[in-house]
């Protein structure tokens, strides 16, 4: 009986995992498949994409025609339930009232967490991304190198299914032959962008995305992932056979009932449950990590949100995978005589160095795309191509005024129209109506293009969270208070994004639709808006300056691990989810080894 009620748990588990998203799902999967008894605590409700995903509804069937609202920022059909930048009964605060110093904290209270929402862009960090400070003197080096994580990238890509191509570009690692699935063809707007970007020396290549372009090899991959574990290989093979290839017709953001895209609820959790080694309690709001007199973690105290009752569950190991900020909040709220400033916080670094991805965007109208004939633009949710960072050498030579790079995502095609598709049309028609409006709509439909930069943020002392001693959530748990300030590095990077986008649009013969911000101050999006929060419990070699070692094991409490994005020492321009899963797998392998050796 894997889904259980609070109060029906075993006396003790090998590992308690707090969180069920990319980190929690991967951690529980690796441990349960290897035979550990695992309890997963999820703060949100149960969720089954197979039964609940609105794959085939059209937008006109949704309230407000699927437009975003404060409760559903990405539209009515977005898979996120009980989530967003505002979550009912779960406030957070910002220390500053200045708009540029606000941090927007996204949460998803449902089984699978943010994996039900994310863009599924799955890019590997490169060698430079782990050793940025050694290369340019800025930021914080990781205690590990790309070679330490590379085998786990291979495993995760094989398990979840990632399409893309190997291009051999600088700091853009290739995957082993046969690991990546074939990418879908580039859309018309991407092909046109590639043609003109080439003149500017900007590469446009297939993006890597966790969507199945073909069925997974259920005979080969499970045996490779679990070579000495026939039970795990058999279970995984059965689960893989239930995943179908994408038929390129519905938005990934709604979830996927045929399991073609990656969600932990369709990829990690089902096989872990099938082992019989995983129990799950949903609506379980973690309050604190409990310890014994010696300072060893003994389990987790949580609140059953359906009854309001408190429970404590016991485990030999506690793995926090609740998202970097939520895990830091739990740790800072876990105060005791041994840890008066929060558990595993002797360094004072819990909550410090919170990072997000730098974001800025710009759009344009391309006359060459007017009156395009109807053509097939079906595909995965989001673009099929992207621009990897291309100026590493120029940056290292000091020719740019910011130290780290960005990649470019793009939007433009003749996808299904939605509310807002023709916003701003009057700028080109001078206000037509009636028959002329219809003709103008047909003429300009699909002639608009947008570019979005996603850049690396360098950790700084001004971005951190602490506990607000005046505000609690519905369950009486003190909330997180954020401090946030972009440095000049990120602001200049945003300015460079705008400059590049403007050059691209102009080269394509288009007109720029928005103001090009040469300062970057207006262009840069608020912290947290890109939903790539990492940091807060960084890893390192020195217990006095970091929270975790290279295996995400806290220095102060040997049986407490952080397997979400908290241990990140930097936030490369590559979207973090793939790296979160790779590190979680590596950490879980270490837990198993330490348990077998009797060290934990």
């Amino acid at each position: 009986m894997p889904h259980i009620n609070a109060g029906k748990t075993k006396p003790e588990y090998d590992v308690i995992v707090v969180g069920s998203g990319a980190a929690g799902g991967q951690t529980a999967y690796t441990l349960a498949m290897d035979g550990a008894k695992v309890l997963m605590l999820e703060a949100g409700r149960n969720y089954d994409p197979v039964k609940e995903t609105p794959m085939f509804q059209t937008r006109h069937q949704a309230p407000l025609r699927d437009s975003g609202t404060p409760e559903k920022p990405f539209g009515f059909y977005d898979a996120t339930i009980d989530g967003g930048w505002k979550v009912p009964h779960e406030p957070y605060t910002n220390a500053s009232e200045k708009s540029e110093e606000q941090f927007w904290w996204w949460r998803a209270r449902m089984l699978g967490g943010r994996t039900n929402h994310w863009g599924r862009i799955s890019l590997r960090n490169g060698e430079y991304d782990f050793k940025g400070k050694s290369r340019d003197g800025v930021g914080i080096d990781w205690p590990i190198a790309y070679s330490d994580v590379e085998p786990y990238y291979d495993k995760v890509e094989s398990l979840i299914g990632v399409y893309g191509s190997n291009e051999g570009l600088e700091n853009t690692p290739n995957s082993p032959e046969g690991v990546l699935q074939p990418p879908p063809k580039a859309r018309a707007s991407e092909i046109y962008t590639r043609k003109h970007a080439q003149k500017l020396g900007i590469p446009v290549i297939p993006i890597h995305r966790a969507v199945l372009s073909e069925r997974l090899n259920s005979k080969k991959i499970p045996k490779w992932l679990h070579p000495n574990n026939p039970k795990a290989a058999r279970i995984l093979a059965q689960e893989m056979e239930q995943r179908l290839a994408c038929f390129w017709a519905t938005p990934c953001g709604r979830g996927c009932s045929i399991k073609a895209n990656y969600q932990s609820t369709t990829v990690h959790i089902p096989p872990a449950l099938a082992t019989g080694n995983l129990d799950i309690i949903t609506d379980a709001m973690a309050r604190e990590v409990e310890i014994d007199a010696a300072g060893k973690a003994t389990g987790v105290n949580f609140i059953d949100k359906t009854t309001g009752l408190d429970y404590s569950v016991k485990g030999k190991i506690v793995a926090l995978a609740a998202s970097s900020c939520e895990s830091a909040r739990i740790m800072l709220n876990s105060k005791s005589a041994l840890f008066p400033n929060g558990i595993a916080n002797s360094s004072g670094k819990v909550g410090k160095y919170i990072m997000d991805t730098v974001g800025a965007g710009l759009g344009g109208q391309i006359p060459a795309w007017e009156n395009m004939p109807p053509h097939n633009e079906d595909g995965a949710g989001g673009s099929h191509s992207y621009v990897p960072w291309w100026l590493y050498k120029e940056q290292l030579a000091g020719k740019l005024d910011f130290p780290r790079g960005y990649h470019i995502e793009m939007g433009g095609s003749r996808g299904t129209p939605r509310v807002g598709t023709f916003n701003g049309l009057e700028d080109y028609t001078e206000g037509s109506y009636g028959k002329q409006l219809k003709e103008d709509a047909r003429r300009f439909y699909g002639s608009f293009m947008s570019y979005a930069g996603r850049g690396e943020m360098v950790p700084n002392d001004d971005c951190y969270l602490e506990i607000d001693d005046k505000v609690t959530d519905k369950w009486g748990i003190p909330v997180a208070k954020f401090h946030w300030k972009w440095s000049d590095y990120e602001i200049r990077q945003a300015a460079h994004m705008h400059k590049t986008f403007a050059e691209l649009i102009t080269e394509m013969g288009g007109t720029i639709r928005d103001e090009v911000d040469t300062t970057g101050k207006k262009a840069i999006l608020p912290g947290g808006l890109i939903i790539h929060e990492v940091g807060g419990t960084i890893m390192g070699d020195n217990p006095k300056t970091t929270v975790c070692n290279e295996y995400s094991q806290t220095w102060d409490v040997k049986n407490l691990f952080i397997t979400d994005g908290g241990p990140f020492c930097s936030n490369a321009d590559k979207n973090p989810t793939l790296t979160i899963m790779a590190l979680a797998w590596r950490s879980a392998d270490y837990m198993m080894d330490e348990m077998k050796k009797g060290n934990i």
Side-chain angles (χ1 to χ4, degrees):
M1 187 65 183
H3 281 270
I4 61 176
N5 296 323
K8 302 293 183 182
T9 56
K10 295 180 175 66
E12 185 179 51
Y13 290 85
D14 291 322
V15 184
I16 298 173
V17 177
V18 181
S20 66
Q26 183 64 68
T27 305
Y29 169 89
T30 303
L31 294 167
M33 296 296 264
D34 278 350
K37 298 298 182 183
V38 181
L39 174 65
M40 174 182 282
L41 300 177
E42 165 53 48
R45 75 162 174 84
N46 190 15
Y47 172 68
D48 183 353
V50 174
K51 298 178 180 176
E52 300 188 52
T53 298
M55 289 184 70
F56 302 107
Q57 285 85 339
T58 58
R59 290 194 172 107
H60 83 280
Q61 296 173 295
L64 301 175
R65 293 180 180 265
D66 197 28
S67 293
T69 65
E71 293 77 22
K72 297 282 287 186
F74 292 89
F76 181 79
Y77 288 134
D78 181 73
T80 304
I81 299 167
D82 295 332
W85 288 287
K86 293 183 179 179
V87 177
H89 313 301
E90 296 187 40
Y92 60 91
T93 62
N94 276 284
S96 171
E97 295 183 354
K98 296 179 180 178
S99 60
E100 67 272 22
E101 295 181 3
Q102 302 293 299
F103 183 78
W104 297 30
W105 190 20
W106 172 277
R107 290 155 290 173
R109 296 310 194 199
M110 60 192 298
L111 192 66
R114 300 183 203 190
T115 67
N116 299 303
H117 164 80
W118 72 305
R120 294 168 181 83
I121 296 173
S122 302
L123 306 173
R124 296 184 177 207
N125 281 6
E127 293 181 9
Y128 303 163
D129 301 318
F130 290 98
K131 300 294 180 184
K133 184 176 183 180
S134 295
R135 188 167 185 269
D136 59 25
V138 173
I140 302 171
D141 274 347
W142 296 60
I144 53 178
Y146 173 73
S147 58
D148 296 308
V149 190
E150 184 179 14
Y152 292 95
Y153 280 132
D154 299 347
K155 291 181 179 182
V156 173
E157 289 176 345
S158 299
L159 174 66
I160 68 175
V162 175
Y163 70 65
S165 62
N166 290 325
E167 301 290 334
L169 299 179
E170 186 175 13
N171 201 39
T172 306
N174 289 343
S175 301
E177 189 69 28
V179 168
L180 294 176
Q181 298 203 328
K185 294 180 179 178
R187 293 188 171 98
S189 59
E190 297 165 359
I191 294 171
Y192 198 82
T193 295
R194 183 173 63 201
K195 173 184 174 183
H196 291 273
Q198 194 172 26
K199 301 173 185 175
L200 301 174
I202 299 174
V204 177
I205 63 175
I207 202 166
H208 291 206
R209 197 179 290 274
V211 178
L212 300 185
S213 59
E214 59 185 25
R215 299 286 295 273
L216 288 165
N217 188 333
S218 62
K219 298 186 182 303
K220 178 181 177 182
I221 296 173
K223 293 178 181 177
W224 179 70
L225 291 176
H226 302 284
N228 301 310
N229 190 339
K231 177 184 176 182
R234 174 177 54 78
I235 289 172
L236 180 57
Q238 292 171 347
E239 295 295 333
M240 279 188 169
E241 287 168 2
Q242 296 182 35
R243 298 185 65 192
L244 303 181
C246 182
F247 49 80
W248 314 121
T250 64
C252 294
R254 297 184 181 189
C256 191
S257 64
I258 64 168
K259 306 182 179 183
N261 69 28
Y262 164 75
Q263 297 169 259
S264 73
T265 38
T266 56
V267 177
H268 282 134
I269 292 176
L273 286 172
T275 64
N277 294 326
L278 174 64
D279 286 347
I280 300 173
I281 302 177
T282 52
D283 292 305
M285 190 74 185
R287 182 198 298 276
E288 63 178 314
V289 177
E290 297 181 321
I291 61 170
D292 61 16
K296 183 178 179 180
T298 57
V300 176
N301 175 267
F302 71 91
I303 300 158
D304 180 349
K305 291 165 64 175
T306 63
T307 64
L309 298 177
D310 267 48
Y311 292 90
S312 288
V313 286
K314 302 298 182 185
K316 297 172 184 173
I317 292 175
V318 173
L320 296 179
S323 84
S324 60
C325 292
E326 188 67 58
S327 292
R329 177 197 179 204
I330 293 170
M331 293 175 70
L332 291 171
N333 276 325
S334 302
K335 296 180 180 178
S336 63
L338 287 173
F339 300 110
N341 298 316
I343 193 168
N345 193 24
S346 64
S347 66
K349 297 299 184 184
V350 173
K352 302 298 174 61
Y353 305 122
I354 297 292
M355 293 165 272
D356 189 28
T357 290
V358 182
L362 197 68
Q365 194 272 335
I366 314 298
W369 298 352
E370 295 173 15
N371 289 314
M372 287 266 284
H375 57 277
N376 188 355
E377 291 275 274
D378 285 350
S383 59
H384 292 176
S385 305
Y386 84 116
V387 175
W389 181 236
W390 67 101
L391 295 173
Y392 286 108
K393 289 183 173 59
E394 290 81 354
Q395 207 161 35
L396 188 62
K399 296 179 179 178
L400 303 178
D401 60 0
F402 57 98
R404 303 289 166 78
Y406 59 88
H407 74 257
I408 303 173
E409 299 169 14
M410 56 189 78
S413 70
R414 294 171 63 91
T416 307
R418 62 186 305 170
V419 172
T421 293
F422 295 108
N423 285 354
L425 194 63
E426 65 277 12
D427 294 342
Y428 301 90
T429 66
E430 298 181 351
S432 59
Y433 63 94
K435 181 180 178 181
Q436 184 61 46
L437 175 60
K438 289 184 178 180
E439 292 178 357
D440 287 338
R442 293 189 182 99
R443 171 189 169 186
F444 287 100
Y445 173 52
S447 71
F448 298 96
M449 188 71 189
S450 64
Y451 297 102
R454 298 290 181 259
E456 175 168 350
M457 173 187 177
V458 177
N460 69 63
D461 292 334
D462 295 319
C463 294
Y464 63 96
L465 73 85
E466 60 184 346
I467 295 301
D468 191 319
D469 58 9
K470 297 178 181 177
V471 182
T472 60
D473 63 18
K474 178 181 179 180
W475 300 276
I477 304 174
V479 306
K481 181 199 288 186
F482 290 94
H483 300 253
W484 187 264
K485 188 176 181 180
W486 292 115
S487 76
D488 289 342
Y489 294 149
E490 288 80 41
I491 293 171
R492 292 173 190 151
Q493 184 192 70
H496 193 274
M497 291 178 185
H498 261 210
K499 172 177 171 290
T500 301
F501 303 155
E503 289 174 351
L504 270 172
I505 294 167
T506 301
E507 179 64 35
M508 293 159 67
T511 57
I512 299 163
R513 301 188 71 191
D514 307 299
E515 177 187 355
V516 178
D517 178 18
T518 57
T519 71
K521 293 181 180 179
K522 296 179 182 177
I524 195 167
L525 296 172
L529 195 72
I530 307 301
I531 321 177
H532 287 172
E533 69 178 61
V534 297
T537 51
I538 65 169
M539 63 168 64
D541 292 323
N542 187 347
K544 294 182 179 179
T545 58
T546 61
V547 178
C548 304
N549 65 17
E550 65 168 283
Y551 296 104
S552 303
Q553 178 186 32
T554 63
W555 293 111
D556 298 343
V557 182
K558 299 302 182 186
N559 64 337
L560 175 62
F561 291 75
I562 319 297
T563 62
D564 51 34
F568 277 41
C569 299
S570 66
N571 192 18
D573 71 278
K574 288 87 170 180
N575 306 42
T577 305
L578 187 73
T579 300
I580 288 173
M581 288 189 272
L583 292 177
W585 197 322
R586 186 172 186 266
S587 180
D589 274 356
Y590 180 76
M591 291 181 213
M592 290 300 300
D593 288 343
E594 290 296 285
M595 282 194 288
K596 290 175 182 175
K597 293 175 183 174
N599 293 335
I600 296 178

